[in-house]
Amino acid sequence: MAAPMMEHNNNSNNDLSHLNRTDSSKSESSSEDGNFTEDVVELVQKEIGGDLKSLKKVSGLLEKLTLENKQLEEQVLTVSSSVPLRVSAALSAAEESRVKLENLLEKERLLTNTLQQHLQGAQVWADSIGQVLGQLDTLERHMKYLQCLARIEELSDSIQQYLMTNSVWDAVGAIDRMASLDMGLRESGCSHLQAFLRETLRFWHKILKDKLTSDFEEVLTQFHWPFISPPTQTLSPPANAQELNSQLELLPEWYLTQVLIWMGNSSNFMDEKIQPILDRAGAKVNAKVELCRGLLTLAQEKLTHDAPRMLYDDALFCHLVDEVLQFEKELRGTHSYPRACPGVLHILLEETVFQKWLSVERKMAVEKVDAMLSAEGAWSSQYKDITDMDELKAPDCAETFMTLLLVITERYRSLPCPRAQLSFLALQKELVDDFRIRLTQVMKEESRQPLSPRYCAILNAANYISTVLSDWGDNVFFLQLQQAAVSVGDEILGPLGVMESGRLASLEGSLFESLLALLERLRGDMLGRLLDAVMRDVKEKAQPYCKDRWISLPSQSDQATMSLSSSACPMMLCLRDHLLQLQQMLCLPLFQMFWQGLAERLDSFIYEDLILYNHFNEGGAAQLQYDMTRNLFPLFGHYCKRPENFFKHVKEACIILTLKVGPALLLCDVLKQSEEDEGILNHQPSPESALNELGIYKLAPSDVQILLNLRSAWLSQ
């Protein structure tokens, strides 16, 4: 009973679902009919509207809709007929592709079989060739093995020969090459060859070390070292003392050089073998730096032990300093040892050693200055025949002195302590001041002949040193020292005033400011003496010219051509000769200062001692203007474009003296009227504007009145 009941229920459910679908389809149909009715109504409203007269459009609308319906039916038929054709074409293309694929698979099978047969046939040849290559490889390894043995024997023979002929450094080089060979064999599997090479290397290393130790002890023994009792006065130096000193210098050099050699030999090994291991382990360690650090410990201990023993021998101490500085330079440069890691320079900064270093530098510098000043060519320039290189015309003594200071700078530039650098700077300033005092002393000896080449060379030397120090003041290294001097300079450079400290801190001043002021004073004093000497000579030659009868000279119209006054010739020749002579002896900046100073003094001299001292008629004024504009001014025209601008008093005085009578009288009236109207406001042009129209800018109205009175003899006509 249950089964029929279930079947009945299922049927009932099916009937219900069918009814539901029927109802839904009916509802959908009714919905579509409703939408269609709405579309028809909307179309009728759009095409016909509510006007009954528009019903005539119904037939046209019907025809239009009929035509559109027909076109849609044709499109449906066309699509229905083309679909089977496309499906058939696709099936044909698929069948064709399947046939081609089968053909390709067959070809692939045939080629695979052919290739397999070929490989089987070639395997026999490959096995045969592999056996031959293996034999060749074995022979090659044997050849290289024998070559290594031969190389070891060759190096051993060379070391033996070098030691027999006492060529120690050549033997060191051969051992170094043997060590390089050992480094190259570390990756090989020839353990017996490696063991033999290392035993040979240790053998020769021990022999060489024993020989160097023996030589060193022999030298020390001949020096009677160690001293177990106070030395006596009767102890005489050995006959070969100079040779012993040379040997001793080579043996302190040896361990510093050896440390650098060890660093160089191990550099590639540390970079290529050890560093990758450390990198893979994640260790933040530089293998080469750590090797250098370990080797430096040996050098530092040895230097710390040796340095105090050399304090009492200046020559050995200087050699030690040179070697340490060179060692530090190669360590930082060639081996790229970081600046943050200490080297060996701190050993030289130990107080006793550093004070000895300063003392030796001062002593040697003073000795060199004495030698350079007493040399035969001290006051001549080595570039005097090369124009392009002799712009500053610095004498050899000045150039050598500044080179000496530059060498001292390079020696202390790399020191890690600003206080030590400032101590050397103080030494340099002391040496510059001492050299300035020496220049002053030599200048006073030559002051009786200020036009001599030696006097001019001293002046060039002072200018050269001043120029170089000015350039150094803008150098980055000295600017850094300048900042250090603000904080710690009082202890080394002496107390700095508040103003000086402020100028140094703001970089307005320089470390050499006081020295530059002293050198400038020396240069100004010497240049003044030089100008005094030239002016004395010029004034002496100009006396006849100043006393010429300017009031009775013939007018310009009475002369066929104007020419230089005969009384002016000695003065002009004197000026020309001095200018040419000093242009050759003075550097360009100094000569510029000289001729400009000379022009200024000449302007005042001619204006005061010639023009204001005489009266001028028309011919005298014209002659003076001709002498000045055609002869004096052109002498200085070789050194500037408008030389008359350096003779403003003379130029403007000539303008006033050569004015025509009418303009001169008018100018007199303007000047007198301005005196009478002084303090009264009026609209008359000022005397200055009247003078400016004539080209007078330097002379005051009172000076112009004096000049006009000097031509009073012909103004009264």
Side-chain angles (χ1 to χ4, degrees):
M1 291 297 290
M5 284 294 294
M6 292 178 63
E7 182 178 359
H8 174 74
N9 292 335
N10 291 334
N11 291 333
S12 300
N13 291 333
N14 291 334
D15 293 339
L16 290 173
S17 63
H18 176 70
L19 289 173
N20 289 333
R21 288 198 297 271
T22 304
D23 292 340
S24 63
S25 61
K26 287 181 178 180
S27 62
E28 290 175 359
S29 176
S30 62
S31 175
E32 290 177 357
D33 292 341
N35 292 335
F36 178 73
T37 303
E38 291 176 359
D39 292 340
V40 171
V41 172
E42 182 181 356
L43 179 62
V44 171
Q45 288 291 336
K46 180 179 179 183
E47 295 294 336
I48 301 175
D51 189 4
L52 294 177
K53 295 180 179 180
S54 300
L55 290 176
K56 60 181 181 181
K57 297 181 180 178
V58 172
S59 59
L61 179 60
L62 182 60
E63 292 177 1
K64 177 181 178 183
L65 293 175
T66 303
L67 178 62
E68 290 180 356
N69 186 43
K70 184 178 180 181
Q71 290 176 349
L72 290 173
E73 289 177 353
E74 290 177 354
Q75 290 179 2
V76 170
L77 290 175
T78 302
V79 171
S80 299
S81 61
S82 61
V83 167
L85 294 177
R86 292 180 182 177
V87 172
S88 177
L91 291 174
S92 299
E95 180 63 22
E96 184 179 355
S97 298
R98 185 187 64 78
V99 173
K100 288 182 179 179
L101 178 61
E102 290 179 352
N103 293 336
L104 289 174
L105 290 173
E106 180 64 21
K107 289 181 180 179
E108 187 267 341
R109 186 181 62 78
L110 293 175
L111 286 175
T112 301
N113 293 335
T114 304
L115 180 62
Q116 188 66 30
Q117 294 174 1
H118 177 74
L119 290 175
Q120 291 175 355
Q123 185 63 39
V124 179
W125 291 99
D127 294 340
S128 176
I129 292 174
Q131 185 177 3
V132 174
L133 290 176
Q135 294 174 354
L136 288 176
D137 185 56
T138 303
L139 288 174
E140 184 179 7
R141 288 201 305 272
H142 290 170
M143 287 291 295
K144 290 184 177 179
Y145 196 98
L146 293 174
Q147 288 173 356
C148 286
L149 287 174
R151 179 61 175 163
I152 295 171
E153 290 296 329
E154 179 186 350
L155 289 173
S156 295
D157 293 341
S158 300
I159 295 170
Q160 184 177 8
Q161 291 294 327
Y162 289 143
L163 291 177
M164 290 176 62
T165 58
N166 207 27
S167 303
V168 177
W169 294 109
D170 292 332
V172 171
I175 291 178
D176 178 57
R177 292 192 291 275
M178 188 177 290
S180 300
L181 181 60
D182 177 60
M183 294 288 291
L185 288 175
R186 288 193 176 184
E187 295 298 320
S188 72
C190 304
S191 57
H192 296 292
L193 180 62
Q194 290 180 7
F196 171 71
L197 175 56
R198 288 171 186 171
E199 286 296 327
T200 305
L201 191 60
R202 280 193 285 267
F203 171 78
W204 287 118
H205 180 267
K206 183 178 183 304
I207 291 178
L208 181 62
K209 184 177 69 172
D210 292 343
K211 179 172 178 55
L212 287 172
T213 303
S214 174
D215 292 347
F216 192 60
E217 290 177 352
E218 182 181 352
V219 171
L220 293 178
T221 301
Q222 294 185 54
F223 271 111
H224 308 288
W225 191 90
F227 302 112
I228 58 177
S229 61
T232 60
Q233 296 296 329
T234 59
L235 188 63
S236 58
N240 59 341
Q242 184 64 37
E243 180 182 354
L244 292 175
N245 282 332
S246 300
Q247 293 179 11
L248 187 61
E249 287 182 5
L250 289 174
L251 294 167
E253 282 178 15
W254 180 82
Y255 62 84
L256 290 177
T257 305
Q258 188 60 46
V259 168
L260 291 174
I261 290 174
W262 285 337
M263 291 179 181
N265 291 343
S266 305
S267 178
N268 290 337
F269 175 74
M270 301 302 288
D271 285 339
E272 297 174 3
K273 306 300 180 185
I274 305 301
Q275 190 62 51
I277 298 174
L278 295 174
D279 293 341
R280 286 194 295 271
K284 302 299 183 180
V285 176
N286 188 309
K288 188 163 65 174
V289 170
E290 293 304 314
L291 172 68
C292 293
R293 193 198 305 273
L295 293 175
L296 273 178
T297 303
L298 300 176
Q300 290 166 355
E301 292 177 357
K302 192 73 171 71
L303 284 172
T304 304
H305 181 261
D306 287 349
R309 300 189 307 167
M310 299 185 182
L311 294 177
Y312 305 102
D313 189 320
D314 289 351
L316 281 179
F317 182 80
C318 289
H319 191 71
L320 172 69
V321 171
D322 289 339
E323 288 300 317
V324 170
L325 292 175
Q326 184 62 30
F327 177 84
E328 183 77 13
K329 181 179 180 181
E330 291 192 27
L331 179 68
R332 304 294 183 184
T334 305
H335 299 286
S336 303
Y337 194 63
R339 294 284 176 185
C341 300
V344 294
L345 289 180
H346 66 277
I347 296 172
L348 297 180
L349 299 182
E350 192 275 326
E351 186 61 25
T352 306
V353 177
F354 184 68
Q355 292 302 324
K356 177 65 177 179
W357 185 9
L358 282 175
S359 175
V360 171
E361 288 283 0
R362 181 183 292 105
K363 176 185 174 183
M364 296 185 67
V366 171
E367 290 176 354
K368 289 178 180 178
V369 169
D370 290 338
M372 68 179 67
L373 287 176
S374 59
E376 183 178 354
W379 301 105
S380 62
S381 172
Q382 59 178 324
Y383 306 114
K384 60 184 178 181
D385 298 327
I386 308 175
T387 306
D388 295 340
M389 299 182 62
D390 199 32
E391 292 183 357
L392 293 177
K393 292 184 169 61
D396 280 357
C397 63
E399 193 166 3
T400 306
F401 175 71
M402 295 311 295
T403 302
L404 171 65
L405 293 184
L406 184 60
V407 170
I408 293 176
T409 302
E410 292 302 319
R411 287 164 70 84
Y412 76 81
R413 179 190 292 270
S414 57
L415 294 181
C417 176
R419 293 175 183 271
Q421 292 177 329
L422 288 173
S423 297
F424 270 100
L425 177 66
L427 171 61
Q428 287 179 306
K429 295 177 69 174
E430 178 185 334
L431 292 174
V432 172
D433 196 46
D434 177 71
F435 194 81
R436 177 192 63 83
I437 293 173
R438 291 170 183 254
L439 287 180
T440 304
Q441 293 171 347
V442 180
M443 180 270 291
K444 290 180 178 178
E445 295 174 2
E446 295 292 325
S447 59
R448 295 181 180 179
Q449 296 178 330
L451 296 174
S452 65
R454 188 170 184 177
Y455 184 91
C456 293
I458 298 169
L459 183 53
N460 286 331
N463 180 76
Y464 175 73
I465 295 173
S466 178
T467 301
V468 174
L469 290 181
S470 297
D471 292 340
W472 284 7
D474 296 328
N475 184 274
V476 174
F477 172 69
F478 287 106
L479 289 175
Q480 292 172 344
L481 274 187
Q482 185 168 324
Q483 293 301 311
V486 175
S487 56
V488 300
D490 288 354
E491 306 171 15
I492 300 167
L493 302 177
L496 300 173
V498 177
M499 182 175 296
E500 185 176 0
S501 297
R503 286 175 57 80
L504 290 178
S506 62
L507 301 181
E508 293 181 7
S510 91
L511 291 170
F512 307 102
E513 201 166 34
S514 58
L515 289 174
L516 290 172
L518 293 172
L519 288 168
E520 178 61 30
R521 185 185 303 173
L522 174 61
R523 185 172 62 180
D525 179 46
M526 293 187 70
L527 202 58
R529 292 171 185 259
L530 189 61
L531 285 169
D532 290 341
V534 173
M535 283 304 300
R536 280 196 302 270
D537 198 8
V538 170
K539 287 179 179 179
E540 181 182 350
K541 299 294 192 298
Q543 289 306 310
Y545 186 61
C546 292
K547 296 177 181 179
D548 217 340
R549 295 185 59 81
W550 299 98
I551 199 170
S552 59
L553 291 180
S555 64
Q556 187 174 359
S557 59
D558 296 336
Q559 303 181 52
T561 56
M562 296 281 293
S563 61
L564 176 65
S565 300
S566 58
S567 57
C569 290
M571 179 187 73
M572 297 295 181
L573 290 174
C574 177
L575 279 173
R576 183 201 64 181
D577 293 342
H578 283 312
L579 286 171
L580 291 176
Q581 177 191 11
L582 292 172
Q583 186 179 15
Q584 295 296 321
M585 293 192 296
L586 294 178
C587 65
L588 182 59
L590 285 177
F591 182 69
Q592 290 279 3
M593 296 169 62
F594 166 77
W595 75 255
Q596 291 177 11
L598 180 61
E600 182 181 355
R601 293 194 180 197
L602 270 176
D603 184 46
S604 298
F605 166 69
I606 295 175
Y607 180 73
E608 294 172 3
D609 289 30
L610 191 155
I611 296 176
L612 296 182
Y613 188 79
N614 291 284
H615 287 78
F616 297 85
N617 65 354
E618 182 182 357
Q623 184 63 49
L624 176 66
Q625 185 181 40
Y626 181 84
D627 293 342
M628 297 296 104
T629 58
R630 297 296 184 88
N631 295 278
L632 177 63
F633 297 170
L635 277 179
F636 293 84
H638 298 288
Y639 319 117
C640 64
K641 293 182 178 180
R642 299 182 65 84
E644 63 275 8
N645 290 338
F646 293 91
F647 296 88
K648 291 184 177 179
H649 288 92
V650 173
K651 181 186 73 171
E652 294 182 2
C654 289
I655 293 174
I656 297 298
L657 293 176
T658 56
L659 276 178
K660 298 298 183 182
V661 176
L665 291 173
L666 183 59
L667 182 59
C668 283
D669 293 340
V670 171
L671 295 177
K672 289 179 180 179
Q673 187 65 36
S674 66
E675 289 182 353
E676 295 174 358
D677 296 342
E678 188 173 359
I680 302 175
L681 294 176
N682 55 46
H683 299 288
Q684 296 296 326
S686 64
E688 286 79 7
S689 62
L691 293 175
N692 291 345
E693 291 180 0
L694 295 173
I696 309 298
Y697 299 94
K698 181 72 173 179
L699 297 177
S702 57
D703 298 328
V704 173
Q705 283 185 332
I706 294 174
L707 290 171
L708 289 172
N709 291 333
L710 295 179
R711 45 186 283 173
S712 59
W714 53 270
L715 278 174
S716 59
Q717 295 179 358

